[in-house]
Amino acid sequence: GNSVTQMEGPVTLSEEAFLTINCTYTATGYPSLFWYVQYPGEGLQLLLKATKADDKGSNKGFEATYRKETTSFHLEKGSVQVSDSAVYFCALSVYGNNRLAFGKGNQVVVIP
Amino acid sequence: DAGVTQSPTHLIKTRGQQVTLRCSPKSGHDTVSWYQQALGQGPQFIFQYYEEEERQRGNFPDRFSGHQFPNYSSELNVNALLLGDSALYLCASSLEAGRSGGTDTQYFGPGTRLTVL
């Protein structure tokens, strides 16, 4: 089946630090990959996406590259801000199917 | 351009009751999907509606049912509520996969927080 695995546990870091959140996937078809962000008390917002191998999605200083050889889509940001504190979800959907499979999410806390 | 809207924002029910949640998709979208997000977990796919029919279904019991109206809005109904049904229910809209070239980005509403006592 289709599944997404995110690294365990919350991530706490200082403002202006480098952020990496790992995401790996398994898929029966050819997936599109997504990162969604959820701020406290809100729904999910699309952060970035990539639809084919070697594509790089980017938005608001965040980047992720679709790596088919390692089945990964790690999220990175070079210098985080307090306003980046949120829960980040990696997700996939398979071609021809708009059904999303999500990872468990990572809580990111940025300390001033 | 209005995004995805959901109502109500919060809801409190008791075990055994029934609940109806509502969703209006983003303008131009024709497909609505529903997800359940338990506390501290990622969203789980419940089902998807297109052309007023259920197109796909996740691993949820028949107590969960839905409907899509001609204007593409949708309802999620849950019967015989259990304590474990307490969650944030998210609605997402998109274009049907065939029309969007195989896959389409889903846009989420703010969710309905359901508490079952």
Side-chain angles (χ1 to χ4, degrees):
Chain A
N2 301 322
S3 67
V4 174
T5 302
Q6 290 182 235
M7 51 192 283
E8 292 289 330
V11 178
T12 302
L13 58 169
S14 299
E15 202 166 23
E16 299 184 2
F18 184 87
L19 170 69
T20 298
I21 305 176
N22 290 340
C23 171
T24 57
Y25 67 89
T26 58
T28 54
Y30 198 110
S32 292
L33 302 173
F34 305 84
W35 277 99
Y36 282 86
V37 58
Q38 187 172 38
Y39 297 101
E42 298 185 10
L44 299 177
Q45 297 178 24
L46 177 67
L47 182 59
L48 54 84
K49 69 177 184 179
T51 58
K52 61 183 187 292
D54 299 325
D55 270 2
K56 178 184 286 188
S58 61
N59 185 28
K60 299 180 181 179
F62 290 89
E63 293 182 340
T65 300
Y66 188 141
R67 300 290 188 197
K68 189 176 180 182
E69 64 275 13
T70 55
T71 62
S72 65
F73 192 56
H74 304 321
L75 182 68
E76 297 181 337
K77 185 174 185 181
S79 177
V80 294
Q81 306 300 313
V82 172
S83 58
D84 293 325
S85 298
V87 181
Y88 292 80
F89 292 95
C90 186
L92 69 82
S93 67
V94 177
Y95 186 88
N97 179 333
N98 282 346
R99 169 178 178 167
L100 284 166
F102 285 88
K104 291 187 176 181
N106 287 101
Q107 173 84 52
V108 172
V109 177
V110 180
I111 301 170
Chain B
D1 178 24
V4 180
T5 60
Q6 293 185 242
S7 63
T9 304
H10 295 88
L11 206 50
I12 298 175
K13 293 286 188 178
T14 57
R15 281 178 296 175
Q17 285 190 310
Q18 179 265 344
V19 68
T20 297
L21 311 181
R22 296 176 175 82
C23 171
S24 291
K26 182 178 168 66
S27 178
H29 284 176
D30 56 12
T31 301
V32 173
S33 302
W34 287 91
Y35 294 81
Q36 180 195 65
Q37 185 181 15
L39 197 62
Q41 300 296 314
Q44 298 292 315
F45 176 79
I46 302 174
F47 43 53
Q48 183 180 92
Y49 277 83
Y50 171 68
E51 291 189 332
E52 303 179 48
E53 292 187 354
E54 183 182 293
R55 291 282 293 267
Q56 302 182 64
R57 189 177 184 91
N59 189 25
F60 280 80
D62 292 345
R63 298 187 297 109
F64 289 77
S65 63
H67 188 76
Q68 186 180 34
F69 299 93
N71 66 353
Y72 307 119
S73 67
S74 177
E75 289 182 348
L76 163 65
N77 301 292
V78 187
N79 295 322
L81 284 167
L82 303 174
L83 295 179
D85 295 332
S86 295
L88 180 67
Y89 288 85
L90 295 164
C91 169
S93 75
S94 60
L95 285 173
E96 192 270 336
R99 290 180 56 198
S100 62
T103 188
D104 191 50
T105 300
Q106 293 193 41
Y107 292 87
F108 284 81
T112 294
R113 173 73 62 187
L114 172 64
T115 302
V116 182
L117 302 176

